[in-house]
Amino acid sequence: MVKNTEVKLSAISGDLKKSPADALVIGVAQGPDGPVLLDNPLTAKSAEAVAESLKVLGLTGAADQTHRLPGLPEAGATVLVLAGVGRLASDRKLSEEALRRAAGSAVRQLAGVGTVTLALPTASLADVAAVAEGAAMGAYSFTEYRSATNGLKEPVKNVAILTDFAADNGLKPVLNRAALVGKAVNATRSLVNQPPSHLYPESFADAAKELAKGLPVKVTVWDEKRLEKEGFGGIMGVGKGSARQPRLVKVEYAPSKASAKIALVGKGITFDTGGISIKPAVGMGDMKSDMAGAAVVLNTVLAIAGLGLNVKATAWLCIAENMPSGAAQRPADVLTMFGGKTVEVLNTDAEGRLVMADGIVAASQEYPDAIIDVATLTGAQLIALGNRTAGVMGSDSVTGPLKAAADRAGELVWPMPLPEELRPSLDSEVADLANIGERHGGMMTAAVFLREFVGKGKDGEQIPWAHIDIAGPSFNNGSPYGYTPKQGTGCTVRTLLAYVEDVLTHSAA
Ligand code: BES
Ligand code: MN
Ligand code: ZN
């Protein structure tokens, strides 16, 4: 499981004929009066000829557009690829995210080609980083279950970035980080893409151990006996309708003298049928992706460990399969959650918050500086923010920096409030809380439920906490775009990593 190949990233400068490639990619922007050929390594004469031909080739410079031409002698490549980068910003520059997407889109569309040189304009090391990240995320395809005879195209194997920063001292860590980011995002995608026949709680726990091999992390797995004995009522309640027993997986990276301590909690429903409150048949298959949050927090902690960041990071993967059966929980059942609070389960399809509550209580018991939970929690997230933008809710001291980190990483997240009036809607006739409340603004209602389980820190105050709802953006059932493939997207791995890097920068200052 998770058999991703990793693209090899390098940087080059000077004569392209010395670094031959199958394809050389140059950029075309969408200018006010038509397509504009961006800075490129072609001779002035060739560049002029290419620029002249853009309109007749039907190119506008729109993002995701590509066009292949025979290579030119100076290009050192069999094929020349014109890649759209979209509109330039008002300063006539390309944003880092535009570069990331352009590189990702070109590399993604060149699947089946071995070696690619990217000659996109890079004005800084940060631009090089963006191109490298885009390339690493674009070099992805999920082929584990496809026969070699069925049109299978391997992702691009080698990417060389043509840049003036090729000899810069800072280049090596930049490429190293980009490769690790790509690895973490692609591993998240492949976990999400796994069919539920193959990814179930036990095999997910095994996959976590496998992915952690060789890294300085400790993986602990709670099986159903230990979960039952220790009182993880939420995870057990959701999992008991399945023949496949639930798991809790803790992945700890604890460098000595860490300057901060972060807990990440992820929803790991390997398949969500809804349980007894069963979902309609149409689109139910997408619910194989209901473990995306757990995949995200797992791979984020592994990336933090891989980078050797000076922060203690613990991922809690709350894993169960939500199935209807004679053993399943019923609407009106009451669960005793980890930590002792009781919950009346009025809808078994609101299962994510039940497993997450246990994970948040467990995380709280270790007094982290902050808890961030990531979950494909509500359909209401899609109604509120759409397919591509994750919702973030919780303590201002965490949601603010998270939004800033997402902006830096090039991911779409948007802060939403937690209005007090939602809390009474979760009151139960028989237990401490009900698992459903106000339907309107249901993404926020779910977050208000989770907040009830965030523990107090050593100072007696609630531990700073944020919840990220990735129901929409974690799974792309539309067309691929930029570096984003169909199905699992790996979204918010980069945001969380950037958040941790920012926390470190500030705590060192
Ligand atoms: N896993 C779903 C949420 C979801 C919906 C994720 C669409 C991705 C795409 C979650 O467990 C769920 O079923 N939530 C219910 C909650 C409701 C019963 C309060 C929902 O959103 O309908
Ligand atoms: Mn559900
Ligand atoms: Zn769910």
Side-chain angles (χ1 to χ4, degrees):
M1 209 172 312
V2 189
K3 296 170 185 152
N4 296 333
T5 52
E6 266 176 73
V7 69
K8 272 207 198 71
L9 298 170
S10 60
I12 56 169
S13 60
D15 187 0
L16 284 172
K17 291 197 290 285
K18 291 191 182 133
S19 324
D22 296 312
L24 171 72
V25 176
I26 61 178
V28 182
Q30 219 170 352
D33 313 308
V36 180
L37 190 65
L38 296 176
D39 282 351
N40 63 73
L42 304 180
T43 62
K45 212 173 154 196
S46 310
E48 199 188 313
V50 171
E52 293 279 305
S53 69
L54 293 174
K55 268 193 183 155
V56 184
L57 285 171
L59 295 173
T60 63
D64 290 315
Q65 236 181 20
T66 56
H67 191 89
R68 300 184 198 194
L69 298 168
L72 291 160
E74 73 264 29
T78 316
V79 165
L80 179 66
V81 181
L82 304 172
V85 303
R87 281 183 210 289
L88 299 176
S90 50
D91 54 3
R92 302 198 44 82
K93 279 241 180 91
L94 274 176
S95 69
E96 284 167 29
E97 177 62 5
L99 281 169
R100 205 179 274 115
R101 288 193 186 197
S105 189
V107 170
R108 174 173 57 73
Q109 296 187 60
L110 285 166
V113 170
T115 299
V116 173
T117 299
L118 295 175
L120 295 164
T122 50
S124 63
L125 260 185
D127 283 353
V128 180
V131 170
E133 278 177 29
M137 293 188 288
Y140 175 79
S141 67
F142 184 69
T143 56
E144 271 177 63
Y145 301 94
R146 197 179 289 286
S147 309
T149 49
N150 192 14
L152 181 152
K153 279 188 193 165
E154 296 289 345
V156 169
K157 289 187 180 64
N158 297 288
V159 170
I161 300 167
L162 183 72
T163 173
D164 292 343
F165 294 89
D168 196 286
N169 285 334
L171 181 79
K172 215 177 150 192
V174 158
L175 292 189
N176 178 50
R177 182 183 181 281
L180 263 164
V181 166
K183 189 176 174 189
V185 170
N186 292 341
T188 303
R189 293 167 173 176
S190 285
L191 283 167
V192 169
N193 293 342
Q194 290 296 325
S197 48
H198 292 67
L199 190 83
Y200 43 91
E202 189 183 0
S203 66
F204 193 175
D206 290 344
K209 283 192 218 153
E210 188 67 35
L211 285 167
K213 267 196 189 138
L215 287 166
V217 295
K218 186 178 159 200
V219 182
T220 312
V221 179
W222 279 250
D223 65 8
E224 71 275 17
K225 290 187 209 88
R226 187 167 168 199
L227 287 169
E228 180 70 46
K229 198 167 133 223
E230 296 182 13
F232 287 87
I235 297 174
M236 285 308 292
V238 173
K240 70 185 194 169
S242 171
R244 273 134 173 201
Q245 293 296 312
R247 295 287 183 271
L248 173 67
V249 179
K250 180 183 183 189
V251 183
E252 284 174 279
Y253 166 63
S256 56
K257 297 192 190 132
S259 60
K261 186 171 161 186
I262 309 280
L264 302 174
V265 184
K267 172 175 171 181
I269 300 297
T270 57
F271 195 72
D272 182 12
T273 64
I276 296 297
S277 313
I278 200 161
K279 288 182 182 295
V282 175
M284 199 200 272
D286 285 2
M287 283 300 118
K288 73 172 182 179
S289 69
D290 211 18
M291 35 53 70
V296 167
V297 299
L298 165 66
N299 285 295
T300 301
V301 168
L302 298 183
I304 291 168
L307 286 168
L309 299 183
N310 191 28
V311 64
K312 182 170 185 206
T314 306
W316 299 86
L317 285 58
C318 310
I319 312 177
E321 186 180 49
N322 190 22
M323 295 285 278
S325 80
Q329 62 176 349
R330 296 149 288 256
D333 276 2
V334 171
L335 301 174
T336 301
M337 315 293 280
F338 189 56
K341 274 204 175 77
T342 58
V343 173
E344 184 185 14
V345 180
L346 290 176
N347 187 320
T348 65
D349 198 12
E351 85 297 341
R353 59 197 79 184
L354 300 174
V355 301
M356 293 297 281
D358 277 358
I360 289 170
V361 172
S364 301
Q365 290 185 352
E366 300 192 338
Y367 303 112
D369 298 320
I371 299 174
I372 302 175
D373 81 73
V374 188
T376 49
L377 206 59
T378 65
Q381 182 279 325
L382 281 128
I383 307 289
L385 293 170
N387 280 322
R388 296 192 186 178
T389 305
V392 53
M393 290 139 279
S395 324
D396 293 345
S397 64
V398 189
T399 59
L402 255 182
K403 170 73 172 83
D407 289 349
R408 185 161 81 78
E411 294 195 299
L412 294 170
V413 312
W414 199 255
M416 298 291 279
L418 295 180
E420 266 323 304
E421 73 267 17
L422 290 175
R423 174 58 191 85
S425 76
L426 290 161
D427 285 345
S428 157
E429 297 298 327
V430 295
D432 296 335
L433 275 168
N435 80 327
I436 53 170
E438 172 60 48
R439 198 170 69 85
H440 294 122
M443 168 170 60
M444 302 183 298
T445 309
V448 168
F449 179 92
L450 292 182
R451 184 174 62 187
E452 294 293 308
F453 295 89
V454 180
K456 290 194 166 72
K458 285 185 176 145
D459 58 1
E461 300 287 323
Q462 195 186 56
I463 298 168
W465 157 79
H467 160 63
I468 311 180
D469 195 334
I470 57 167
S474 61
F475 197 76
N476 176 20
N477 39 28
S479 304
Y481 60 94
Y483 48 76
T484 306
K486 282 190 180 173
Q487 302 223 334
T489 65
C491 83
T492 70
V493 167
R494 287 185 290 140
T495 295
L496 292 174
L497 191 59
Y499 172 88
V500 167
E501 288 169 333
D502 289 349
V503 163
L504 285 173
T505 314
H506 294 127
S507 61

